[in-house]
Amino acid sequence: MSDPVPLGDLVPGLERERRLAEIRREAERRGKLDVVGGRPPGAPFPQATPETGYYKIPLLKEPPWKWEIPLYFFVGGAAGAAAVVGAIADYTGVDRKLVKHARWIAAAGSVISPVLLVADLGRPARFLAMLRVFKPQSPMSMGVWTLVGFSSGAAAAAFAGFLSDRYGPSLPLRWLENAGQAASLAFGLPFSNYTGVLIGATAIPVWNRNVGDLPLHFAASGLAAAVGMLELMGHGKNRALQALGLGAGIFESWEGLRIEGRSDPHLDPLKHGASGWTTRTGGVLSGPVPTILRLLSALGGKRRSASLRRWAAWSAIAGSLITRFAWIRAGHASARDWKLPLEIRSE
Amino acid sequence: MLKDLLSRWPLIQQIQTGADGTGPEAMSERTRNLRPKTDGAEVARSICPYCGVGCGQLVFHKDGKLISIEGDPESPISRGHLCPKGADTYELHTHPGRLTKVKYRRPYSRHWDQIELEQAMDRVAERLWESRERTFQETCDGETLMQTTAIAHLGGATLDIEENYLIRKLFTVGLGMVSISNQARI
Amino acid sequence: MSVTAFLTDSTLCIGCKACEVACKEWNGIEGDGLDWSGFSYDNTGAVGASTWRHVKFVERAPVPGLGGNAGEQASWTFSSDVCKHCEQAGCLEACPTGSIVRTEFGGVFIQPDVCNGCGYCVTACPFGVVARNEQDGRAFKCTFCYDRQKVGLRPACAKACPTESIQFGEIDELREKARLRLEELHRRGMDDAAFYDPTHTSVRGTHAMFIIRGDPRTYNLPPSPQVPTIYLKKGWRSSALAAGLLLGGTLLALLTDGRSGR
Amino acid sequence: MPGLGTSFGRGGATTAQQDLSNADAILIMGSSMAENHPVGFQWVMEAREKGAKVIHVDPRYTRTSAMADIWLPLRAGTDILFLGALVNYVLENNREFREYVVHYTNASAILREDFRDTEDLDGLFSGWDAPKNKYSPESWLYQGAPSKETGGEKAGHSDVGGGHGKDRGGEAQDASQFESDPTLEHPRCVFQVLKRHFSRYTPEMVERYCGVPEDVFLKAADAFSSASGPERTAAICYAVGWTQHSKGVQIIRTASILQLLLGNIGRPGGGILALRGHASIQGSTDIPTLYDILPGYLPMPLFESDSHQLEDYIKKHSTRTGLWSKFDHYFVSLMKAYYGDGAAKDNDWGFHWLPRITGDHSHFGYWLDMADGKLEGLFVMGQNPAVGASNGRLERKALAKLKWLVVRDMVETETASFWYASPEVERGELSPETIGTEVFLFPAAGTAEKAGTFTNTQRLLQHREKAVDPPGDARSEAWFMYHLGRRIKEKAKNDARSRNAGLRALTWNYSVEGLHTEPKVDEILEEINGYTLPGRVQLTKIKELRNDGSTACGAWIYCGVFPEPGHNRANERNPRDLLGHGWGFSWPNDCRIIYNRASARPDGQPWSERKKLVWWDEEKKEWTGLDNPDYEKNVAPDEPANIHSGTGIKALGGAKPFILHPDGVGWIYVASGLKDGPLPAHYEPLESLFHNPLYRQQTNPGAQKKERPDNPYAESPGDPRFPYVLTTYRLTEHHTAGGMTRTLSHLAELQPELFTEISPELAAELGLTHGDWATITTPRGLVEARVMVTPRMRPVRIDGRVLHQVGLPYHWGYRGQVTGDIVNDLLAISEEPNVRIMETKALVCNLVPGRRARGSAARQQLDAQLGRTA
C-alpha cells in the first residue's frame, strides 16, 4: 500500500473550510452571495421560497389591452356624461344649443366607442360575439349591452334632431328624438362609469382595491371631460357647466388626496414608478388645476375668466384622458407585482 | 329559418331557460359536436424510439397521415405513460426539419446537391464495391483473413434488430467489413 | 356524467415535463420561445397561452443522507401547474361572449370559435392562468381535454405522467384520496405536506388540486385566491351612486343656473 | 456487458423493470433513472410507495435523488471503492445470505497457490506482463482446473480478442476437477480471498476518498444489506454512469458480487437492471453491430488462432457442461442462416468465408485509423458521432479524411454537415475546399413509418407495426440494406473470385411489399428465429437447434420468438401478469427474470411465500411458477450435479441456476474472461486529482489511453492546470446527441441552452455569476456554457481537501432549433480493456468566467490550452 501524496498548494487549510461553510450558509439564507474573498463577490441564484414566491415570477398575467381600451374608457365616459347633460338640459328647457352640442358629443362617442372596441378585437364580427349572451355577472357584458342601448339612443336622438333641423319637425321624428334621448339618458348614466366596475371587478389588486371608488371617479372624470368639451364648443360662459366642472374637479382632487393618503401597498402602482407619475399627472390635471382655474375665473374679469375656463376645460379633458391611461398602466404594474397577489408582505 | 337562427342564439335560450350564459346554452355547434381528433382513426401499435425502457405507443393515423402518437395503456412496462421525449414522437415524425430527399455533396464542394434516391443507391453501391476491391485482403501470411478494415459502419442502437441483422449479414459476413460498431459497447 | 378533477401530487412528481409536451402534442400548440431562464430546470416559467401544463422546480440545499423522499427536508420538489378550473371561476363569469362555458365534467372551457379576444378573462383569473395568444388575440388555457373527456379518455397530461403524479378522476373520490394521502405523508414524517384546494375562499375549491410540500406561495399558489365577482356588489353600488350624483348634480346645476350663462 | 456476463452468464439485465416494484430496497448508482428512464422509474416509485428504501448515489443531486430516501454524494470515479466497502460491510457484519452463497455461487471454490491478490502486489493481480501491458491470467484459475501448464486440453484463456464475447459468461473453461470447500473456511477459497481483498474498503476510506460521510454510508449500507434473505430482496439499477469509466466492467462486477452475496439474483425484487439509453441497445448487442461478436454472442473468429479449422474454433469456444456445450449447434445454424445451401459440412459450413478480426476494430479503434487516413468509406446510421462521441474535434477532423461518407438520419445531423458547419470550419482548421469527402445524406424513416422490432433494456423483444409510409424518399434501414445488398449481390453474381464466394452464397431473397418495395421484416425475424431445413418449419425453442445443417437460426438466443408462420411473439399484446407474460417476447425462452431457478431453495421450494417465483412441482415433475423457468424443465432439484465428468446441460444437475456457466453457479470470482482481473479493485480515473489511496497502481492497468497529440491527457494525478472534476450527463428533455430532440420545438424550449452546474462555493471562489457564461476547458478542448449556480452541487471533502465537481449535460451541437458547444469535445478517447468504452464520467477540467474566443482566435485559445503555441 502506498501513502496518498498530498497535493501541496491545492490542499486548503481549516480557514478555507470555514469560509466555504460561511459561503454556503449565506447562499442558503439569502439565495445570494456577498462574501468578500480574494475575488469579486457574485453568483446570486434565484430561489423559490415563501418570501420570494416562485422565482419572483408574477402570479398574475398583465391586462392584454393596448391604447384602444383606455381611450374607449375616456370616450365612453365623456359621451355618457354628455348625454346626461344634454337630456337634462332638454328637459329643463335651458339651452337648445347646449342640448344639441351635448347630443353631438354623445353621438360621436356612440360611434367612436364601438370602433375602438372593434379595433381592439381586430374584426367587427368579434364585436357581435358580445351579443350572444347577457351576463349580469360580467361587467363587460353589461357594459356592451349598455353601449348598445346608449349608442342606439344617442345616435337616434342626434339623427332625429338633425333631420328635424333640416327638414322641419314631424311627429315620428319627434317621437324618435324623445325616445332616443330618454334611452341615451338611461344608458348614459351607467355608461359614463361602468368601466370603473369593469376594471374594479378583476383580479388585479390595484383595481379591485378601488372598486368602491372607481365608478365615482370615472363618472366625475367623464363629466369633467364632457363639461370641458361643451365649454370649448362655445358654452364657456355657462354657469351650470362651471358648477358641474367645479364639482367634478373638487371630487377628483379629493380622490387624489385619498389615494395619496392611504398607505396600502396595493396602491403603490398609483404612486410609484411610471404608472405612479402618470396617475399623478392625470390627477393634478383633473383635480386641483381645473378647480383652481375655475375658482380664479369666477373672480377675474370677463376676458380673463373665459381664458381661464378654457384652460380649465383643456386641463380637465387632458386629465380625464391621462387618468384612464394611468389606471391601465397601474393595472399592468400591479399585475407584475410578484408579492401582493401571493399575499407576501412588502418589506 | 329565422326561428332556427333565433333558437341557436344563446340569448334566446337564456331568456327561455333563465340560464346565466355559462352553461350548455352558450355552447357553439362546434363545441357540442366536439370529438377527439383520433376519432375514427386507425391505430398501429408501436414502441417508443427513444430510450431503452421500451414504452408502448399507439400511433393514430387516417388516410396515410399521422394524427397523434400517445402511450399504449396495455403495455405492462409503461402502462400508457410516456416521458417528454416519447410524448413528442408525433412531432419527431412531422416536424418541418425532416429530410425527405437525398442530399449529396461532391468532393470539395461548398454546397449540397439533391439527387434521386435510385441514383444515390447506385453510387453508394459503386463506392462500396470499389473500396472493397481496393482494400480487401483474402489472406495474410497464408492464413485466412477475408477482411477489409478500410470501410466502417457506425450505428444500430436505435435501429431494429432486423435491420442490424441485415447490416451484420451484408457488411461483415458478405463483404468482410470488420470495423463495425455502435453505441452499445457495454 | 361524473364531475371530474385533477389531483397533482408533487411528492410523486419527477419533474420530467411529459405533461407539458403531451399537452402540446395533443392540442397542437406551438413551442413558445427558446430562452434559458436559469430558474432551476424550468425554462417555460408559467402557464400561458401556449403552455397549458407547466412544471415548477423548487430547489433547496440538499443534505447528504437525505433524499427528497426523506421526511426531514424537501430538497428539490416539482409540481405540475395547470388551470385550476375553479368552482367559481373568474374567467367564466367575466366572459362577455359566452365563449367560456362550464362543461358537464365541471371543467371551464374556452370555445376558440366563439372567443373574440376581449381579454377580460385574463384580468379576471386570480391564478394568472388565462392568456391571450399574441397572433390572433384569442384567449387560451387548459381545456381539461374536453374533447377527450367527451369520449371517456383521460386528459393527455394525466395519461402521459409516468409516475401518476397527475391523477384524474371523480372529484369527490380525489378529495378523499388526497385526504388519505396527506395522512400517509404526515405519518411518514413529511410534516410539511399540504393539500391545496381553496374551498375556504370565494373560489370555492378547484378542479385541479395539489399536494405540495411547504408553503403554497413557494409554488406561486395564492393562499386565498378570490373570484373577482365578489367585488361586483361594491362596484355596482358605487356605479349607482355615481349615476345618481351625476343625474342629481346635473339637474341641480341646470335647474338653478342653466340660463344665466347666456 | 461482460460485467454481468462473466458474473451470471448472460450480458443482459437479469430482471424486468416491473419487477423493481417487488424490491425492498433499490440502489440506483451510475444512473439518474428518474431523468433518463422516467417511465421505467414508475416501478421504483411504486416500490418506494410500498415501503422500499430507495438509495441514490451520485456526485450531483439529481431528479432521481429528489425521489430517493437516501442520497449520497460521491466523488466521481470512486464507485468501486464505495461498492467494495458495501461488500466489506456485508462480510464484516455477516449480512450475506449464507445458504444462497454456498449453493449458488463459487464462493467455495479454492484458488491456486500461485494466485496473488491486489493486496499482495499493491494493485496488480498475479500474471501482469508489463512489457505486453496485459495479464497472463493462468494463475487466476481454480485449484485443480486444467491449465496450459498442466497440459489441459484447453487452456483457460485466449490471449487476444475483444470483450463482448465475454457477455456470454466468461471464456470457455473446463470446469473439471477443481477443488472447493463448502464451509467457506479454506484460506484460499473465494469467500476468504474476497474478505481479504476488500478488507481495506472501509467506511473510513469511503468518507476520506469518496467524500461520503461515514454515518451516511452506514445508513445506506444497513438499508441495502438488510433487504436480503428468504423474505426480502434488493435490486440495483445502473446505466452509463457506471459503464463509461476506465474500469466500467469492474464496477458492474462489484455490484454483481454484492448481489450474489445478498442472494438477490434470480429472485423477485432482486437483480441488476442495466438501463439502456437507446431503444434497442440490448438488441444491437444481441444481434450485434459490434466487431467482435456474431448474433447470440458467438465470438468473431480471430486471425491466426481461429484461421484454420472450424473444429478448433468450436472446441475453443464450447464448454463440456452448461448451455455453451451446444456451441456448435448455435454456430452451424447461424452459418446455415447466412449462407443457406452454400454452407455444407464439407466446406466447414462456410467458416472460411467469414472475415477474421485482427485487432481493435471498435469505434475508437477504427476512428483513430480514420484520423490517420487509413479508411476509405464510412456508413453512419442513426448515430451522430460529431456530437455524441468523445474528443469530437478528432472525430470530426477524421471524417474529412474519408473518401466517402454515407449518413442516414431523419434530419441533417452534425455528422452530415461537418464539412461546412463544424467548429473546425469556424476555427479555420478545415474548409470545404480542402475536404475531399463525398457525402451522401439519406432521409430515414421514423419508427411509425416502418415495421420492426426493438429489444429493450430488459431483453424484451417488442414489435412495431407500420402506421404510414415515410415521406418523400425517406426509407427504412431495412430497405437501404436490402436494396444495397441486392446491388452488391448483382455485382458479385458473375465474379467467380474466391473472395466473393461467401457473398455469392449469402442468402438475400427476402420478399418485398408496398409502394416502396420494402423487404418484409417478418421474414427476417423468421430467419433470426430459425427454421428446419429443408422443410422450413419454424423452430420453437433453443433445444431444437442442430449441428448437422438441418436447422438455420440467425440468433440462437432469440429462438422461439417466431414459432410458426404468422405468429410473431414479439407482437403479442395480451399481458397477463406483472412481469408481462403475453406481451412481447423476452429472450431466452420468454423468461422475464433470468436465473430464476435461484428463486427456489436447493430443494426446489421457494425461499419464502413472499418471494416465490419458480419452484419444483413434485406431482407434475417439472419446474413451474410465475415465470417461465430458466432451467431444464424436468430436471428434479435432487438430481445430482456431475460437473467434473458429465457433459451438456444435464451435468449441472438440479440445483445450479446459472446454466451458462460450466459450473452452474454465479461467479463472485471470475477465473477467466476478464482482462483486468478476477476481482474488482479501485483505480483512479485516467485523469484524476488524487493518488490511488489503496494501491501504488494508479489506474486500471489494462485501460488504454490512446494518447497522441490529438488526444492528449492532463498530467495525473493532480494537474494544477485542471483543478476540478468534470462529469457529463443527460437531461430528461433531450436524447443523447440531440438529433431527435434539439430539432423539435416542444423539447428544445424545455432545455434550450447548454449550462454548467456548479456549487455556490465554486461560484464565489471563481467570481462566476448565475446566468453568465463560463468556459470549461480540458486538454482536448473548450466549451462555453451558461452558469447555473445551484446548491444541488456541493463540494466534497477528499482527504482533507475540498474538491469541486462540475456538471455538464452534453446534448448540444451546431444544428437544430437550439445549438450550443459540444461537450464531448472535452472528453478523451480512451478504452476500457474489456469493452473499449471511453471514460466520460470522471475527468478533470478548469473553469473560467466568460465566453470562449471565436473564429481563428478560438483555435489559438485551444492550442494554448493544449500547451502549444499557435
Side-chain angles (χ1 to χ4, degrees), chain D residues 228-250:
Chain D
S228 164
E231 293 284 347
R232 291 165 64 80
T233 51
I236 295 180
C237 302
Y238 77 87
V240 295
W242 270 1
T243 58
Q244 293 183 349
H245 285 279
S246 56
K247 60 227 176 217
V249 167
Q250 294 289 5

Side-chain angles (χ1 to χ4, degrees), chain C:
Chain C
M1 213 71 72
S2 62
V3 174
T4 54
F6 287 125
L7 171 62
T8 307
D9 185 344
S10 80
T11 64
L12 295 175
C13 179
I14 57 175
C16 76
K17 310 181 191 170
C19 48
E20 279 195 54
V21 176
C23 172
K24 291 200 173 195
E25 283 274 277
W26 175 257
N27 294 298
I29 314 171
E30 295 294 308
D32 54 359
L34 301 171
D35 298 320
W36 184 79
S37 75
F39 299 145
S40 194
Y41 282 5
D42 178 0
N43 290 304
T44 37
V47 288
S50 52
T51 300
W52 300 351
R53 265 277 177 194
H54 166 247
V55 182
K56 294 170 179 167
F57 287 72
V58 174
E59 280 189 32
R60 300 177 186 91
V63 176
L66 298 182
N69 191 46
E72 291 91 329
Q73 193 206 7
S75 36
W76 199 13
T77 41
F78 322 112
S79 181
S80 178
D81 196 13
V82 68
C83 170
K84 313 298 177 295
H85 297 282
C86 309
E87 202 57 62
Q88 195 67 34
C91 60
L92 172 66
E93 302 301 336
C95 176
T97 62
S99 160
I100 307 185
V101 291
R102 188 170 301 280
T103 72
E104 60 270 40
F105 308 104
V108 176
F109 177 66
I110 304 182
Q111 306 177 75
D113 53 328
V114 178
C115 176
N116 72 344
C118 76
Y120 194 40
C121 50
V122 176
T123 64
C125 175
F127 294 98
V129 167
V130 197
R132 225 161 69 155
N133 173 325
E134 290 303 319
Q135 278 85 53
D136 68 6
R138 288 179 298 167
F140 288 95
K141 71 167 191 73
C142 163
T143 65
F144 211 16
C145 278
Y146 185 37
D147 50 350
R148 294 176 64 95
Q149 285 206 55
K150 274 199 166 193
V151 297
L153 294 171
R154 272 190 296 170
C157 54
K159 184 183 178 190
C161 179
T163 52
E164 294 179 11
S165 162
I166 302 175
Q167 292 157 35
F168 170 79
E170 206 277 314
I171 189 163
D172 292 328
E173 281 171 23
L174 283 184
R175 285 209 166 103
E176 176 62 11
K177 212 167 167 181
R179 195 183 60 77
L180 295 173
R181 175 74 181 164
L182 211 60
E183 276 175 18
E184 160 74 13
L185 293 174
H186 289 161
R187 200 179 51 70
R188 284 197 215 160
M190 287 189 199
D191 298 330
D192 57 351
F195 181 43
Y196 185 84
D197 176 24
T199 46
H200 60 284
T201 75
S202 58
V203 162
R204 295 201 354 239
T206 56
H207 290 255
M209 306 171 286
F210 301 85
I211 289 173
I212 50 171
R213 290 189 72 177
D215 193 309
R217 291 175 295 184
T218 312
Y219 304 83
N220 253 7
L221 292 171
S224 43
Q226 304 291 353
V227 62
T229 46
I230 60 167
Y231 307 114
L232 281 178
K233 212 167 153 190
K234 206 169 171 188
W236 286 125
R237 209 188 294 139
S238 165
S239 170
L241 180 62
L245 284 175
L246 180 60
L247 186 66
T250 312
L251 206 56
L252 195 66
L254 285 165
L255 274 180
T256 53
D257 217 0
R259 231 166 305 221
S260 55
R262 276 272 142 194

Side-chain angles (χ1 to χ4, degrees), chain D residues 271-285:
Chain D
I272 298 181
L273 191 66
L275 294 162
R276 313 308 203 112
H278 300 259
S280 201
I281 284 258
Q282 183 69 50
S284 60
T285 13

Side-chain angles (χ1 to χ4, degrees), chain B residues 79 85 91 98 100 103-104 110 118 122 127 131 138 143 147 160 162 165 168-169 182 185, chain D residues 46 164 289-290 293 308 356 376 412 433 437-438 449 453 464 473 487 498 527 732 745:
Chain B
R79 301 191 279 196
K85 298 184 284 283
E91 193 187 4
R98 261 196 84 173
T100 54
K103 284 183 166 186
Y104 172 70
R110 293 192 63 89
E118 288 300 311
D122 289 341
R127 300 294 178 274
S131 288
E138 274 190 66
E143 305 260 15
Q147 60 146 245
D160 300 335
E162 293 90 345
Y165 183 79
R168 197 73 170 133
K169 187 171 176 179
N182 71 43
R185 284 195 300 285
Chain D
E46 193 156 318
H164 290 102
T289 41
L290 296 169
I293 42 173
H308 313 284
R356 269 58 177 167
E376 291 202 357
E412 186 184 327
E433 291 84 357
T437 313
E438 188 179 15
E449 295 156 356
T453 308
R464 293 187 332 270
D473 286 344
R487 284 169 165 86
S498 55
E527 178 176 322
T732 313
S745 65

